[in-house]
Amino acid sequence: MQTLPLRGLGAELAVIERLIGPRPDLLAILYQLTPPRSPGRPKTLNDVQNFPGPPAPVEETPAVSATRKKAAGNNVENIMRKLAKDRPDLLEEVTAGRMKAYAAAVEAGWRKPQTTIPLTDPETIARKLFDKLGSEQAQPVCAALTQLVVEPDNDT
């Protein structure tokens, strides 16, 4: 009896992503070699080996549960795939480590800049907003907050 050759890497793609870690250059290569996540499509042990060619017949290869998150427009994988397709200049910045994928998406105009504000006390909230916005942009925010405080909405 002859033993069949191994298929693919024999590991879930999520495991490979964790092994790669914070290396955008290697993640970009992984995303080029693997099919994009799509709802309802089972992940098999031979995904990496068979993409982008026609799928090989599955013989005694159990389907591996997809532990990777469902595709979303703002996850790193989708951003990097879109950068590769539409903005290779920004992908080069990301893979070189000079820019994060999210920052590249903001620069490309696909995402709006966001920040997290700790809701601990008014001074911390004000300081975080001021640091992010600067004096010029903070003034209209201050005016809008003042307006909301002076004329509270009666709907609440």
Side-chain angles (χ1 to χ4, degrees):
M1 174 166 254
Q2 188 177 13
T3 304
L4 296 174
L6 296 175
R7 293 177 179 229
L9 298 174
E12 294 180 10
L13 294 176
V15 171
I16 297 169
E17 284 178 325
R18 284 194 305 273
L19 288 172
I20 290 173
R23 292 280 310 270
D25 54 333
L26 297 178
L27 285 172
I29 294 169
L30 174 69
Y31 298 148
Q32 288 173 354
L33 296 175
T34 58
R37 300 176 206 159
S38 60
R41 182 181 172 277
K43 302 293 182 209
T44 61
L45 294 175
N46 58 0
D47 269 353
V48 175
Q49 172 182 312
N50 291 330
F51 185 78
V58 178
E59 301 169 9
E60 301 177 33
T61 304
V64 177
S65 64
T67 56
R68 292 167 37 154
K69 291 186 246 177
K70 181 182 168 191
N74 62 353
N75 70 23
V76 173
E77 177 183 348
N78 284 354
I79 291 171
M80 291 178 72
R81 286 183 188 280
K82 191 167 182 174
L83 288 172
K85 180 181 170 192
D86 299 335
R87 293 294 303 269
D89 58 319
L90 291 177
L91 178 64
E92 185 177 323
E93 293 294 311
V94 172
T95 57
R98 293 186 293 267
M99 180 182 280
K100 298 282 186 188
Y102 169 78
V106 170
E107 187 169 321
W110 304 329
R111 292 286 318 242
K112 293 180 182 176
Q114 298 179 355
T115 190
T116 301
I117 299 175
L119 301 176
T120 52
D121 61 84
E123 179 65 31
T124 304
I125 294 168
R127 175 55 53 195
K128 179 75 171 191
L129 280 171
F130 186 79
D131 290 346
K132 285 291 181 177
L133 298 175
S135 178
E136 201 169 300
Q137 288 182 313
Q139 288 175 352
V141 172
C142 183
L145 283 170
T146 302
Q147 185 71 25
L148 289 172
V149 170
V150 172
E151 299 174 16
D153 190 1
N154 293 333
D155 293 340
T156 56

